[in-house]
Amino acid sequence: ALGPLTNVALAAKLDPDFLSNLSQLVVMGGSVDGRGNYSAAAEFNFAADPEAAAMIFNRCSQLGQELRLLSWETTLDNPVPLADWEAIIAGQSAVARLLQKMTAHLKQVMPAPITLWPDPLAAAVALAPKIVQAEESRHIAIECGQSGYRGQTIVDYRWRPAHPPNARIVRKIDRPKFISLLKRAAAM
């Protein structure tokens, strides 16, 4: 799931067996260590529709399932240096040409020596699960109030949480394998 969880929550509401029928659910979202990108405490995807995110985590708890969460912090821990990114997209494939245009725009609006790719990173975790080198199971809730903490990911780090884990937080990925997947995708 890339972006707010609105559509996933709607599917789960329309079909109570929806989540049970998935072999896995990989979600890009949340700020598990409080390093938000939308606000000081919240990541954009969960802040955009915290009720949907809360519903999915609650439903996973009810079903005894754990979704796999690729957080904003994991994205920050896996930047791609801009020079490396430009080398990855240097080809002439249709995908490479599109990425070159996107990168040119990105450099205008956000000049930085690195690029962050949260959605491709989540897609890589979904398509190549062995890319995950470290993860931890935790119980997660989402703040749905109207305060400045709306959309905050609340992670229960206690040794004996009141609720069983409903998510596996991806903490570390195999960066060379991720770069290899990006190269393959750009060559398409």
Side-chain angles (χ1 to χ4, degrees), residues 2 24 26 68 70 117-132 173-174 177-182:
L2 309 176
Q24 71 171 339
V26 177
R68 187 172 255 172
L70 195 297
W117 299 112
D119 294 343
L121 191 56
V125 168
L127 296 171
K130 290 183 181 179
I131 198 172
V132 176
I173 59 114
D174 184 326
K177 285 184 182 175
F178 176 54
I179 297 298
S180 175
L181 290 168
L182 287 174

Side-chain angles (χ1 to χ4, degrees), residues 108-125:
Q108 289 177 349
V109 298
M110 204 167 57
I114 62 167
T115 55
L116 298 170
W117 299 112
D119 294 343
L121 191 56
V125 168

Side-chain angles (χ1 to χ4, degrees), residues 25 38 45 53 76 82 93 110 115 139 146 153-154 156 180:
L25 176 58
Y38 179 78
N45 291 343
L76 291 172
L82 187 56
S93 71
M110 204 167 57
T115 55
H139 181 82
Q146 299 302 316
T153 308
I154 302 164
D156 193 338
S180 175

Side-chain angles (χ1 to χ4, degrees), residues 29-32 41-43 46 57 69 140-143 151-155:
S31 172
V32 297
E43 179 274 334
F46 288 4
F57 283 100
L69 183 67
I140 291 180
I142 307 300
E143 173 58 45
Q152 179 179 6
T153 308
I154 302 164
V155 183

Side-chain angles (χ1 to χ4, degrees), residues 27-46 69-79 114-118 121 134 136 140 151-155 157 169-173 175:
V27 172
M28 188 291 126
S31 172
V32 297
D33 295 323
R35 294 172 60 193
N37 64 356
Y38 179 78
S39 70
E43 179 274 334
F44 174 80
N45 291 343
F46 288 4
L69 183 67
L70 195 297
S71 71
W72 179 242
E73 287 86 356
T74 303
T75 299
L76 291 172
D77 290 343
N78 292 283
I114 62 167
T115 55
L116 298 170
W117 299 112
L121 191 56
E136 60 184 295
I140 291 180
Q152 179 179 6
T153 308
I154 302 164
V155 183
Y157 286 106
I169 303 168
V170 174
R171 289 295 189 172
K172 185 176 179 184
I173 59 114
R175 291 191 80 239

